Amino acid sequence: QKEVEQDPGPLSVPEGAIVSLNCTYSNSAFQYFMWYRQYSRKGPELLMYTYSSGNKEDGRFTAQVDKSSKYISLFIRDSQPSDSATYLCAIRGAQKLVFGQGTRLTINP
Amino acid sequence: ETGVTQTPRHLVMGMTNKKSLKCEQHLGHNAMYWYKQSAKKPLELMFVYSLEERVENNSVPSRFSPECPNSSHLFLHLHTLQPEDSALYLCASSQVPPVANTGELFFGEGSRLTVL
């Protein structure tokens, strides 16, 4: 079983839609939950991070962690074409950082 | 120059060539990393230089050889590569121990490698 699972997509939605991106993980020792965004021909950049179960909101983005289900989500409200990118979940424990496969997202005008 | 810069951005090499990838970070960090990014696969950590110690992924073939002459510069020496080594190679840096607990990685734009 992979430590972190993420559907690679691709995912294509119309502008203005609500987007839901998800990852599951297997190791309950993981403590920090992050989302990186990677634009085409660029390196990944940290978008959001959370430490505990619950929601964290930043503008149109909401990160959600459910430790009991080992499930994390990133929601994008009022999606824009500029949100088109690959989104990678990353989960960190005491000694290691594990990335998901990344989901390629396209927002169509 | 700011952030993490990688050169070259694109590299095409034959299986018998020897080449090197270069990375430089201008963030004052004390840890540098090489990651391999292949389509629809998770980022694969290849090597870490942290606090002047090297940590490596034992599954990385010996045809990849890292060098870290100081905390700002990192190289990946390539020799007798295989076509399956074609990928995006990302350099990253961070501060160790991490600030704000995330251990945020700052990535360069990557070197796209094609092995013929």
Side-chain angles (χ1 to χ4, degrees):
Chain A
Q1 182 184 12
K2 293 180 181 177
E3 290 189 283
V4 178
E5 293 267 13
Q6 182 178 11
D7 185 344
L11 180 62
S12 181
V13 301
E15 182 176 355
I18 297 175
V19 176
S20 173
L21 304 168
N22 310 293
C23 289
T24 59
Y25 63 96
S26 58
N27 189 338
S28 58
F30 286 138
Q31 298 172 306
Y32 299 99
F33 307 90
M34 291 159 278
W35 288 94
Y36 281 79
R37 179 174 60 193
Q38 184 176 18
Y39 289 116
S40 180
R41 299 185 183 85
K42 299 288 187 181
E45 292 179 301
L46 183 64
L47 180 63
M48 293 186 72
Y49 75 91
T50 54
Y51 172 66
S52 59
S53 285
N55 294 351
K56 182 176 182 179
E57 190 172 318
D58 184 1
R60 296 183 294 108
F61 297 86
T62 300
Q64 188 175 82
V65 175
D66 182 347
K67 285 189 173 181
S68 61
S69 302
K70 299 189 182 67
Y71 190 87
I72 69 171
S73 300
L74 178 70
F75 298 96
I76 307 175
R77 292 188 303 280
D78 187 24
S79 56
Q80 303 294 310
S82 58
D83 296 328
S84 298
T86 297
Y87 291 81
L88 302 97
C89 63
I91 305 178
R92 191 164 78 84
Q95 298 296 332
K96 67 191 308 186
L97 173 66
V98 183
F99 284 87
Q101 297 98 309
T103 300
R104 177 177 283 185
L105 173 67
T106 301
I107 308 298
N108 300 303
Chain B
E1 296 276 11
T2 58
V4 180
T5 56
Q6 290 187 241
T7 55
R9 294 292 311 278
H10 300 274
L11 178 62
V12 179
M13 57 188 291
M15 294 167 61
T16 57
N17 291 157
K18 288 184 179 181
K19 297 285 184 182
S20 296
L21 307 180
K22 179 183 176 182
C23 177
E24 185 173 359
Q25 61 98 359
H26 307 271
L27 300 168
H29 290 158
N30 58 5
M32 296 188 75
Y33 310 76
W34 281 115
Y35 278 90
K36 177 182 179 182
Q37 187 174 37
S38 303
K40 299 196 175 184
K41 290 185 177 180
L43 283 177
E44 176 188 355
L45 178 63
M46 301 176 72
F47 301 101
V48 181
Y49 280 86
S50 176
L51 302 174
E52 300 183 1
E53 287 189 7
R54 184 172 106 186
V55 177
E56 55 192 88
N57 181 342
N58 291 327
S59 67
V60 176
S62 59
R63 55 186 182 267
F64 295 92
S65 175
E67 178 189 0
C68 190
N70 54 60
S71 60
S72 299
H73 294 85
L74 184 64
F75 296 89
L76 188 62
H77 303 300
L78 317 169
H79 60 99
T80 59
L81 294 191
Q82 303 298 308
E84 61 263 29
D85 297 322
S86 299
L88 182 68
Y89 289 85
L90 290 162
C91 173
S93 70
S94 73
Q95 188 62 26
V96 177
V99 176
N101 292 321
T102 62
E104 179 180 357
L105 295 175
F106 293 79
F107 287 90
E109 295 187 329
S111 294
R112 173 69 62 185
L113 172 66
T114 302
V115 181
L116 301 177

